[in-house]
Amino acid sequence: MDTRDWPIRAKLTALVVTPVAALLALWIFATTLTYGPALDLLSARTLLYDLGRPGEAVVTELQRERRLSVVQLAGPAALPALADQRRRTDVAVAELRRRIGGEKLRDAADDLLDARVDELVAALDALPAGRGFIDRRQVDRAGAVGLYSGMISFAFKAFAGMAALPDPKLNRETLALTALGRSRDLLGQTDALVAGGLAGGRFVDGEHLLLTQTIGNERFLVDTAVADLPAEARSAYQRLTEDPAFVKLRAMQEGLLRADPAARPPLDARTWQTSHDTVQQALRDFERNQADGLAERSVPVAVGILVRLAVAGVLGLAAVVVSLLVAVRVGRTLARRLTGVRSAALEMAEQRLPDVVARLRRGEQVDVAREAPPLEYGADEIGEVGRAFNEVRRTAVRAAVDEVTLRRGLNEVFLNIARRSQGLVHRQLALLDRMERRAEDPDELAELFRVDHLATRLRRHAEDLVILAGANPGRGWRQPVAALDVVRGAVSEVEAYDRVDIGAVQPAGVVGRAVADVIHLLAELIENATAFSAPETRVEVAGQQVPRGYVVEITDHGLGMKPQAVENANRRLARPPEFDPADSARLGLFVVSRLAARHGITVTLRSEVPGGVTAVVLVPADLVTAEPPPAPVAAGRPAASVNRLATLPRPRSARAGRDRPEQTVLPFAPARTSSVEAAPDGDGLPRRVRRRGSAARPRPPVGEALTLRSPEEARRQMSALQAGTARGRREGAVRSVPPGRSDDAVAGPTPTGGLSEGRGGEPAPLPPPGDPATTPDSPTTTERDA
C-alpha cells in the first residue's frame, strides 16, 4: 500500500488509529478469553441438568434392558418384563431428545460436545433395529451385550465432552466421575453376562472370558477414577466399598473368576441380583451427589473470574480511552502545525510569488523582507522546517526579482537587436530598390528581386524579435488598407509564395493601426501551411465578411495534426503563454498568439478530411472597415509605373486536369526600368513582360531607315518622364526619414492605391515565378505535430 500520496491528516490519523486499534483489539481478545471460561463455568449447571441427568437416566434404562434382553436370549420364550422395560427406555430416550434439541443446551455446548451429542442421537436411532435382531434371535447373548454397551459408550463420550471447564481441578473431578460411571456400566455388563449364564445353565463359548475381562476393566477404572477424586470424595467412596452388599458382590465376582467356564455359575441368582442392584444404586447416588457438588462449586469460581474480568476490563478500557485521547490531541496539534506550513507554502506559491512577479513586470519595486516575513512554528523539528521554509520563501522572492530583471534585460537585448536589424533591413531594402531601378539586364533584375524577397522575410523575422520583447513593430499605416492587399502583403513575405492560391476575397478594409500585425500574423500562418504540406500541393487563402468581423481561412493539404495537438495549439492561441526560450520550436505559434491577443483577433485551427489543417482568422469588427477606393493614376502616367502590390492579381490560367475558378496568383513583380514594359491584359490590368536591356539589344543594320515618332507619341513619353521625375522626388523625400523613428514606417496609400511598408511607399517585391526554393527551416514558422 503506497501511502506517499496520503494527506498529512490521513497519515496522522493512521499513525494514531493503528496502535489504538491494536490496543483495543488486545483488550477485546483478553476480555473474550476470560469471559468465555466464565461462561463455561456458568453453563456447567446447564450441561448437568440438560444432558447429564437425562443421559444418565437413559444409560440406566439401557442397562436394565440389556440384562433382560440377554435373559430372553438364554431362554426359549419372550419375557413380558422386557416389553415393559423397553417402554421405560423409550420414555427416557424421548426426554433426552427433547433436552438435546433445546437452544439452551446447544448454546452452552462447544463444537466437540455438539459432535458427540449428535453421535449419541445417531446411536439411539439404531435401537429399534437392534431390538428386532434380538426378537428374531438373530444375535447371541454376547452380541446383545455389545449392542447395548455400544450405545452406552456413546453416552459416556458425551459426558466426557462436558469436561471442558477452564478450572483444571473441576475438569479432573468431572473426568473422574465419568470414569466411575464407565466402571458402573462394566458392572452392569457383568450382571447381564451372569444373568444369561444362570438362565441358560452355563456360559457359552467366550462368555466367561468376556466376563473376566469386564470385571478386570471395571476394577481398573475404579482405582484410576478414585485417585482423581477430592479427599472427601475418596473417603466417601471408601466407606461405600465397606458396605456388606459391596463386599458380598466382590466375593461373588471372585468366585465367578475361579469357577469352571463350562459349569453352571457357582452362585445364587437371587443373592447376586440383590447385591448387584444395591451396589448399582449406591454407586449411582454417589455419582449424582458428586456431580451436584461439582456444579455448585463451579458457580463461585465463575463469579470470581467474572469479577477479575470486570476489573481488568475497566482498567483496560480506561487505558484505551486515555491512549486515544492523547493520540488525538497530539495528532491534531501536529496536523494543525503542518497545515499551517502547507498553507503558507501554498499562499507563497499561488498568491505572493505570482503577485510579486506581476508587480515586477509592471515595473514596481518589491521589498523582499516585506513580501517574505519570517513565520514562527516552534522550536522542534516542525519549527526547523518552518525556518527552512522561511529561507526558501526569501530565496524564491529574490529569485523572482532576479528572473524578472533578467527577463527585462533579455527583452531589452531582443528589442535592441531587433531595432538595429530593422534599421539595417530598411536600408538594405532602400538600396535594393535603387539597384532595381538602375538594372538593365533581366537576369540581374531577377536576382535582385530574389534578394529583395529574402530581405522582406528577414524584416519579418526581425519583427518577431520585437514581438518577443513585448514591443510593437515600427511599421504602420494611417489609412485603411483593402483586405485583398493585406492578403497579398502576407503572401509576399512567404518563401513558397508561388504555391499560394488567393481565392474569393470579399471586399473589405483593415484599419491602418492593425495592418502590419495582420499581415505578419497571416504570413506566419501561410508559411506554416507551406512548410507542412507537400511541395506539389497548394495552399488556399480566402476571405469573407461575417457579422462578427472578417474571416480569413488558410487551408493546406499536408500532414494534418492529431486531435490532441490541435487542442493544445488552440489553447495556446486563445491564451498566449509566457515566452519560454527553451520552447524555441514554437516561436511562430507564440508570435501569432501575441499578435492575435494585441488586437482581439481569434485564431482557430481545425483538421480537414482527408488531411491538412485550416487556420481560421477572425478579425474583429472594430478593425474592419469598408474597402477603400483605389487611388487614381496620374494623367499621362504609363501603366508600367504602377506600384507592385497595387497591381491586382490576374486570374490563373487553367491547368490541365485542374479547375480552380476564382483563384488568382500574384503577378511577376514589376520594376521601373527599361528592361520591363507593361502590356495591357484582358482584365485591363498591367502585365509585366521581360525584355533584354539596351546593352544586349541588337543594333539596327546600317542603312536601315529609323522609324520616326509621331508628335502624339513623343508627347506621351514626355508626360511619362515628367510624372516619373515627380514621383522619384516624393519617394526620395520619404526615404530621407531616419529608420529609427516611428514615422518611418507610416505612410498613406500610394498614388495607385497600393501598400506602403516603410520603404518610401514600396512594399516588399515579389520574386519572379520559378524562384528556386530557399531554406525552408524558418525559425518562426508555427510547428505542428504531424
Side-chain angles (χ1 to χ4, degrees):
M1 181 175 59
D2 189 5
T3 61
R4 292 180 298 178
D5 297 333
W6 286 15
I8 189 64
R9 190 176 298 276
K11 292 180 180 179
L12 290 176
T13 302
L15 187 64
V16 170
V17 169
T18 301
V20 172
L23 182 60
L24 182 61
L26 290 176
W27 175 78
I28 295 174
F29 179 72
T31 304
T32 303
L33 287 181
T34 308
Y35 186 68
L39 291 181
D40 293 340
L41 288 173
L42 292 177
S43 63
R45 295 176 60 87
T46 301
L47 296 178
L48 175 62
Y49 292 107
D50 287 352
L51 178 61
R53 292 291 174 81
E56 189 270 339
V58 170
V59 169
T60 301
E61 299 300 332
L62 287 175
Q63 290 173 347
R64 293 171 180 172
E65 185 175 340
R66 177 179 56 190
R67 182 178 183 279
L68 294 176
S69 297
V70 173
V71 171
Q72 177 175 300
L73 290 175
L79 294 178
L82 178 59
D84 297 336
Q85 180 58 44
R86 286 178 177 178
R87 284 192 293 270
R88 288 192 294 270
T89 303
D90 292 339
V91 172
V93 170
E95 178 63 18
L96 177 63
R97 289 179 184 274
R98 187 182 66 82
R99 294 294 184 92
I100 290 176
E103 294 182 358
K104 191 175 180 180
L105 175 63
R106 292 293 183 175
D107 293 339
D110 55 7
D111 296 338
L112 177 62
L113 183 57
D114 279 338
R116 292 187 176 181
V117 168
D118 293 338
E119 292 176 356
L120 173 60
V121 172
L124 293 177
D125 291 339
L127 180 60
R131 291 173 176 174
F133 289 130
I134 293 173
D135 293 341
R136 293 189 298 271
R137 298 183 179 272
Q138 294 177 348
V139 62
D140 57 2
R141 291 179 294 184
V145 171
L147 175 65
Y148 286 97
S149 299
M151 297 179 187
I152 295 172
S153 176
F154 281 111
F156 281 109
K157 286 183 180 181
F159 297 158
M162 295 168 55
L165 303 177
D167 190 281
K169 182 179 179 181
L170 296 179
N171 269 338
R172 186 168 57 251
E173 293 181 20
T174 302
L175 293 176
L177 291 177
T178 303
L180 284 177
R182 288 179 179 274
S183 68
R184 185 166 59 85
D185 179 63
L186 291 175
L187 181 60
Q189 293 183 28
T190 303
D191 176 60
L193 291 173
V194 171
L198 292 174
R202 67 183 186 86
F203 294 110
V204 297
D205 295 340
E207 283 187 351
H208 189 270
L209 177 60
L210 180 60
L211 176 66
T212 304
Q213 293 175 349
T214 302
I215 294 174
N217 292 336
E218 181 259 333
R219 292 179 178 180
F220 173 77
L221 285 177
V222 169
D223 295 339
T224 304
V226 171
D228 291 334
L229 291 176
E232 295 180 0
R234 285 198 301 271
S235 299
Y237 189 82
Q238 184 65 32
R239 290 191 299 270
L240 180 63
T241 57
E242 294 174 357
D243 186 80
F246 195 94
V247 173
K248 185 181 295 185
L249 181 64
R250 177 64 63 90
M252 286 187 288
Q253 286 180 344
E254 293 295 334
L256 289 173
L257 293 176
R258 292 191 299 269
D260 183 8
R264 178 182 175 82
L267 50 82
D268 181 63
R270 183 177 297 276
T271 304
W272 168 265
Q273 185 66 36
T274 303
S275 301
H276 174 267
D277 292 344
T278 302
V279 171
Q280 275 282 1
Q281 186 61 39
L283 291 176
R284 182 180 179 187
D285 294 340
F286 176 80
E287 292 173 10
R288 296 186 65 172
N289 293 334
Q290 294 298 319
D292 292 340
L294 182 64
E296 293 298 332
R297 289 194 303 272
S298 66
V299 174
V301 175
V303 172
I305 293 176
L306 290 177
V307 171
R308 293 194 300 270
L309 173 62
V311 174
V314 171
L315 294 178
L317 183 60
V320 171
V321 171
V322 171
S323 301
L324 182 61
L325 293 177
V326 172
V328 169
R329 182 178 180 83
V330 174
R332 283 184 176 179
T333 302
L334 292 176
R336 183 172 58 254
R337 297 175 64 191
L338 291 174
T339 302
V341 176
R342 183 196 64 179
S343 299
L346 291 177
E347 181 185 5
M348 183 65 186
E350 297 177 357
Q351 299 179 12
R352 285 184 174 271
L353 194 58
D355 180 65
V356 168
V357 174
R359 290 163 54 192
L360 288 172
R361 288 177 178 174
R362 292 194 299 266
E364 300 179 10
Q365 296 296 327
V366 174
D367 185 4
V368 177
R370 185 173 64 85
E371 296 298 334
L375 301 177
E376 296 296 333
Y377 296 100
D380 56 355
E381 288 79 1
I382 297 179
E384 294 177 358
V385 173
R387 288 190 291 274
F389 176 67
N390 289 332
E391 294 298 327
V392 171
R393 295 171 64 199
R394 285 192 289 270
T395 304
V397 174
R398 284 196 296 267
V401 174
D402 296 341
E403 180 184 357
V404 172
T405 303
L406 178 61
R407 282 179 175 268
R408 189 180 300 161
L410 183 61
N411 288 341
E412 293 295 335
V413 171
F414 280 168
L415 189 58
N416 190 11
I417 295 174
R419 293 302 187 193
R420 292 185 181 185
S421 299
Q422 274 187 315
L424 294 176
V425 170
H426 281 297
R427 293 169 58 185
Q428 180 183 1
L429 290 172
L431 178 60
L432 287 173
D433 183 69
R434 292 194 297 271
M435 293 175 65
E436 291 170 3
R437 294 176 183 278
R438 293 195 300 268
E440 295 292 338
D441 184 32
D443 296 332
E444 180 182 354
L445 184 61
E447 295 296 332
L448 289 176
F449 282 159
R450 294 190 181 95
V451 176
D452 193 304
H453 183 220
L454 293 177
T456 304
R457 294 176 58 206
L458 181 61
R459 178 181 60 187
R460 178 163 59 86
H461 298 330
E463 290 178 355
D464 287 343
L465 291 177
V466 176
I467 296 171
L468 293 178
N472 295 327
R475 291 192 296 162
W477 279 260
R478 294 190 182 93
Q479 301 298 327
V481 178
L484 180 60
D485 291 338
V486 172
V487 173
R488 287 177 181 167
V491 174
S492 69
E493 297 186 3
V494 176
E495 177 183 359
Y497 67 94
D498 56 338
R499 291 176 46 208
V500 180
D501 294 340
I502 300 179
V505 178
Q506 294 182 358
V510 180
V511 297
R513 60 184 172 84
V515 169
D517 290 342
V518 173
I519 290 176
H520 197 143
L521 184 149
L522 294 178
E524 292 288 350
L525 295 175
I526 294 173
E527 187 163 11
N528 180 76
T530 58
F532 289 93
S533 59
E536 66 275 6
T537 61
R538 310 294 298 178
V539 175
E540 302 166 359
V541 181
Q544 61 178 344
Q545 199 155 6
V546 295
R548 296 173 55 191
Y550 196 86
V551 172
V552 179
E553 294 187 353
I554 303 169
T555 304
D556 66 74
H557 303 281
L559 302 176
M561 299 174 67
K562 296 179 180 178
Q564 185 63 33
V566 173
E567 181 180 353
N568 293 336
N570 287 330
R571 185 168 56 251
R572 284 173 170 264
L573 291 171
R575 294 184 297 274
E578 290 294 331
F579 172 61
D580 185 7
D583 194 12
S584 60
R586 292 177 172 83
L587 289 182
L589 186 64
F590 177 79
V591 170
V592 170
S593 62
R594 276 285 183 92
L595 293 174
R598 181 179 300 168
H599 298 285
I601 299 173
T602 303
V603 181
T604 307
L605 303 181
R606 68 168 183 256
S607 299
E608 297 293 338
V609 179
V613 173
T614 295
V616 181
V617 180
L618 174 61
V619 181
D622 58 343
L623 300 180
V624 180
T625 63
E627 183 177 32
V633 181
R637 185 171 183 174
S641 63
V642 178
N643 185 282
R644 295 173 191 171
L645 287 182
T647 307
L648 293 175
R650 295 186 302 105
R652 291 180 56 90
S653 57
R655 297 186 181 181
R658 296 181 60 182
D659 184 12
R660 292 181 176 269
E662 301 297 331
Q663 291 186 349
T664 59
V665 295
L666 293 176
F668 180 77
R672 300 179 186 83
T673 62
S674 59
S675 60
V676 290
E677 65 179 9
D681 202 350
D683 52 5
L685 300 176
R687 180 181 178 186
R688 299 286 183 172
V689 180
R690 289 195 184 185
R691 293 183 57 190
R692 297 188 59 84
S694 59
R697 246 180 238 158
R699 297 178 180 270
V702 180
E704 183 179 350
L706 296 177
T707 304
L708 297 179
R709 297 185 179 92
S710 63
E712 290 79 11
E713 183 177 1
R715 184 175 58 204
R716 285 196 301 269
Q717 291 182 359
M718 291 303 295
S719 298
L721 178 60
Q722 184 180 4
T725 302
R727 182 166 174 266
R729 289 175 180 174
R730 289 196 302 271
E731 292 175 350
V734 174
R735 284 196 297 269
S736 63
V737 180
R741 293 175 53 187
S742 61
D743 294 336
D744 66 339
V746 179
T750 61
T752 57
L755 296 180
S756 174
E757 299 187 358
R759 295 181 44 207
E762 285 291 328
L766 294 178
D771 184 18
T774 56
T775 56
D777 52 349
S778 174
T780 60
T781 56
T782 54
E783 298 291 337
R784 292 206 301 259
D785 299 330

